[in-house]
Amino acid sequence: MTPLSDDAPHQPSPAEPPAAAAGLVLGRASSEEWLQVEEWAAEEEWNPGLGDTACFHPTDPAGFFLGRAEGKPVTAVSVVNYSDDFAFLGYYLVDPAHRGKGLGMATWNEAVPHAGGRTIGLDAVPAQEETYRRSGFVPAYRTGRYSGRPTTSGTPSPDVTAVTETHFDAVAEYDRRCFPAERRAFLERWLTAEGHSAYVFLRGGEVAGYGVVRKARSGSRIGPLFADDRRTAEALFDALTAHAGQDEEVHVDVPETHEAAVALAASRGLQPGSHTVRMYAGPPPPVDAERVFGVTSLELG
């Protein structure tokens, strides 16, 4: 979810002073240092999952950038390279006390080259869409966050089962249809992390969808929710929300161009709230969008 600051990214010009002139020291962040950025995200009401950093940071440890002033983190941008062709940008944040000084822009200019020639995806808040257009990003679709205390069909599907290690290869293969890059290592962390619960729908012994629910700062978040069709997605959604507890509020980020996904969220009593705009710099990566009923995260795609 990028950005929530007044330091909008753009192409640098020769007139811009170097970061050092503003007293900003730029560098990579360790996973421990990134916990501060996770706190900023919570303060901005992004509602990060508990333990997100432990899953996100190992995906590309060189892709997490901090700007420090007087030894303290004040800016952040992540540019995570998933493959030779695809990267995802997120966590564009500036500490409120240091906004309006160009520090976010300097951090952006340091971080974006990490992607090289890859297509870069990001999820932008609507107020920054035009700014990202000027940096070469093109909107693809809107993603709406749907939230609420869910209702269910009341009939668990016998085809839904908890994910185990024996499912990892098949789940990773299915995931590749729905996500722009292979991400097996990330998925192993995501499927098994503390506070995460994952379910798979097996049709004739083959994966027809899977989903993950995780504890967040407020309630629980579902993501991803990938499935062959709405019936399969409904069965997975019901299993995920039953695990979370029907009295607990859940949140899922739904591509608004996918009518069946929006209808599923509404049918389970979730209400639309904020939205972001998925944008790409470079050729949009091919995915089976009809299988995406809920994106994994707005921070890493």
Side-chain angles (χ1 to χ4, degrees):
M1 193 182 295
T2 311
L4 286 181
S5 83
D6 60 354
D7 282 292
H10 60 279
Q11 297 299 322
S13 71
E16 291 170 355
L24 189 70
V25 177
L26 297 167
R28 264 75 172 188
S30 68
S31 57
E32 291 78 12
E33 290 173 316
W34 204 254
L35 293 174
Q36 173 63 65
V37 181
E38 191 175 299
E39 288 301 318
W40 291 346
E43 291 167 6
E44 296 287 357
E45 299 184 353
W46 294 6
N47 194 25
L50 303 180
D52 277 1
T53 293
C55 292
F56 290 165
H57 193 273
T59 307
D60 180 9
F64 292 78
F65 293 80
L66 278 182
R68 300 174 178 86
E70 298 180 354
K72 296 180 180 180
V74 295
T75 63
V77 180
S78 64
V79 179
V80 170
N81 292 337
Y82 277 106
S83 69
D84 291 340
D85 302 313
F86 182 67
F88 201 86
L89 188 151
Y91 285 110
Y92 181 63
L93 287 161
V94 178
D95 180 76
H98 292 82
R99 293 178 182 175
K101 303 176 183 178
L103 304 185
M105 177 200 69
T107 311
W108 167 279
N109 291 337
E110 177 78 8
V112 169
H114 178 66
R118 297 170 177 83
T119 289
I120 305 174
L122 59 79
D123 286 305
V125 294
Q128 296 294 350
E129 181 179 342
E130 287 304 316
T131 301
Y132 285 116
R133 284 179 185 266
R134 293 194 295 271
S135 290
F137 286 83
V138 177
Y141 58 85
R142 285 182 19 151
T143 299
R145 176 160 293 180
Y146 285 73
S147 304
R149 290 177 171 80
T151 59
T152 68
S153 66
T155 307
S157 170
D159 297 313
V160 175
T161 186
V163 170
T164 69
E165 188 174 350
T166 62
H167 300 120
F168 284 177
D169 287 340
V171 167
E173 182 179 348
Y174 190 91
D175 183 84
R176 182 60 187 90
R177 304 178 193 176
C178 308
F179 189 78
E182 189 279 329
R183 52 175 181 171
R184 167 65 187 263
F186 167 80
L187 284 177
E188 288 195 21
R189 294 189 298 276
W190 199 247
L191 295 169
T192 61
E194 183 178 357
H196 292 216
S197 297
Y199 289 86
V200 62
F201 190 108
L202 298 175
R203 180 175 291 123
E206 300 293 326
V207 173
Y210 85 97
V212 179
V213 62
R214 73 192 194 278
K215 296 295 184 182
R217 300 299 179 96
S218 173
S220 293
R221 288 177 61 178
I222 292 175
L225 178 56
F226 297 157
D228 283 356
D229 49 48
R230 177 173 167 177
R231 183 178 71 84
T232 305
E234 285 176 342
L236 286 164
F237 181 93
D238 290 346
L240 294 166
T241 54
H243 187 97
Q246 293 184 21
D247 291 333
E248 182 173 275
E249 188 172 63
V250 300
H251 313 269
V252 59
D253 296 309
V254 178
E256 294 188 344
T257 50
H258 190 183
E259 293 181 2
V262 173
L264 168 56
S267 74
R268 293 307 191 262
L270 304 189
Q271 299 295 320
S274 62
H275 78 270
T276 56
V277 182
R278 174 61 61 89
M279 305 182 76
Y280 294 105
V287 296
D288 192 341
E290 292 303 304
R291 284 187 165 95
V292 180
F293 286 80
V295 303
T296 307
S297 79
L298 300 180
E299 295 81 17
L300 256 69

